[in-house]
Amino acid sequence: MDLLPSAGKRHRVPYFALVPAIVVAVLVLGGIALRTTLQIEKARQQTVFDATLTLADERVDRLDKLIIAQDNVVAAHVDVANLSVIARRWLPTAARETPTVRAILVLDMDNEAHDVLAFASRGASGREDDAFRKLLLARLLPQMNFTGDTTELRHLHHVIDQQSLLVSYWQREHMGRKCLIIAWHEVPRLVHEVMPRLFRDLDREKSRMNVIDEEGRIVFGPPIIGGEFTVGRPFPTTLYNWRLQMALTTAEELGEKVERQRLIEILMVGFSALVALAGLAIVVLASVNERRLAALKSDFVANVSHELKTPLSLVRMFGELLLGGRVPNDEKRRQYLQIIVSESERLTALIENVLDFARVERGKAAYEFARGSVAEVATRAVDMYRYRAEREEMTVELTIAEGLPEALIDARALELALVNLLDNALKYAKDGGRVAVAVEAEGGGGGRLAALTRQARQVTIRVSDRGPGIDPDEQKHIFERFARGRRASERQVRGSGIGLALVKHIAESHGGAVRVESPLTDDGRGSAFVVSLPALEHDGEAQERAANAEPVVADPAPDAGSP
Ligand code: ADP
């Protein structure tokens, strides 16, 4: 079907350039929205990390400060001018002020052997103290850092034989003699007494915080739950080989929320893009349809004008012949007059078609139904066409079945429908030679079956020809307004494309339907149009009253939305 005429192709070029541009714009917008969403998500995660980090920093500082505070107390008690009073001054308050300091030592740094100048211990076991002293001299002292300002407080955190050791040390000078003051911190005490106190808010069930050693083993607290939101911070100056690990209290929920949020946002962006694309597709389709309809309408105007012109010129030509008295005999005069009459009839039919169609289009077509005989209407329509058929060397056969039921019809409208079908048969199936019109009853039956299937009883009018037939792919479209078949344009058959749309509308307004059957023969020829109308039974008065009470008003478009 030639539904897209070449006119307007020019206009389509910028149009089809614009559509991909809009698609690209929508996709770019969607992409930007998605990227922004992901960036916001990243920023949110960063904030969570930063907050966790700040908290972890604060915790490690707390432990550092506590140890350094004890070191300061030790420094206050140690007087290098008077080493013998250290124990006396320190021990009475040691448990309270320096709970993790096990012992204080003062070493002579001028001497290679590093003599112990003073030693004060809170420990009960002298053997442990001795062992520590040996360890200090042999293994810890070489690890200590004596560069730069040696008077400042330093820490040594070292593992010996799987044991973590922490010592604080600083140097003092007295009368030219260098002394090294050492505070030995008991690491187990730090872990078991200080840490629980410092990190009191720790939730035993689901820990958000723990401390791990240099090899990643947990030294304090249970394993961390929190996945990607866990951060690690070493203790800055004291237990610097160890790290405090922390996951934000809300890490788990946050993780889930972030995941959910991300999914929702991606879905929303995807959905919006889909909606935009769907909207665009609808606009494109509507616009394509609109253009097609506009093109069809302009074709329609041209066709109708052409159809009006031809019979008019025939009427005029034969009228002038008769007027000029140039007619050889009565027989010819009769023939000319007959032509004038039939062409006028054709004109009337065409104008009626157009007017009816216009009424249908404006939604103003109202039919007046009355009980009537379909056979009578068919006879009138066939009679109208008999002369034209003869002239075109065709025959129109009418068969009417016996005992036909009546139907509720608008006789004028039904006649118009049949005239259209006959006109088409004569136009398109000239080479078939014969057109058959059959009025029959279908469905229903007798007895109980009749009662059950009463609604299905129909009166049908079948207009069949032996013409070229209609291709199956065209059959779907021929009832659409302004639609014309391929053959109509190939063979340059006159027409406007509204005939079958009108037939369909009239049939449906009667509560019936129209269908096409083609081909009818094995060699692919012939087509039949069947209009079926609901039949009136003997008790059809009720139906009649219902139909009369509310005259059927036509839909604005007989083939709603499919031009
Ligand atoms: P028009 O005849 O003005 O083109 P119609 O709506 O009456 O418009 O018919 C639509 C199309 O259906 C025609 O253009 C033609 O291709 C096809 N058609 C209708 N009747 C027949 C027929 N009897 N045989 C073959 N083709 C037909």
Side-chain angles (χ1 to χ4, degrees), residues 1 307 420-421 423-429 465 467-470 474 478-480 482-489 493-502 527 529:
M1 222 163 253
E307 281 222 60
N420 269 297
L421 292 180
D423 190 55
N424 278 351
L426 295 194
K427 269 187 337 195
Y428 299 109
D465 60 58
I470 303 166
E474 275 195 357
I478 51 175
F479 292 99
E480 295 167 3
F482 310 128
R484 304 208 65 214
R486 208 174 298 126
R487 263 192 208 100
S489 38
V493 180
R494 291 185 310 175
S496 52
I498 59 172
L500 288 180
L502 210 54
S527 45
F529 287 86

Side-chain angles (χ1 to χ4, degrees), residues 187-206:
V187 174
R189 249 180 219 274
L190 277 170
V191 171
H192 301 298
E193 288 168 25
V194 178
M195 284 189 186
R197 194 154 41 83
L198 274 191
F199 311 139
R200 181 177 317 133
D201 50 341
L202 189 96
D203 177 354
R204 290 256 159 240
E205 284 294 297
K206 268 187 175 183

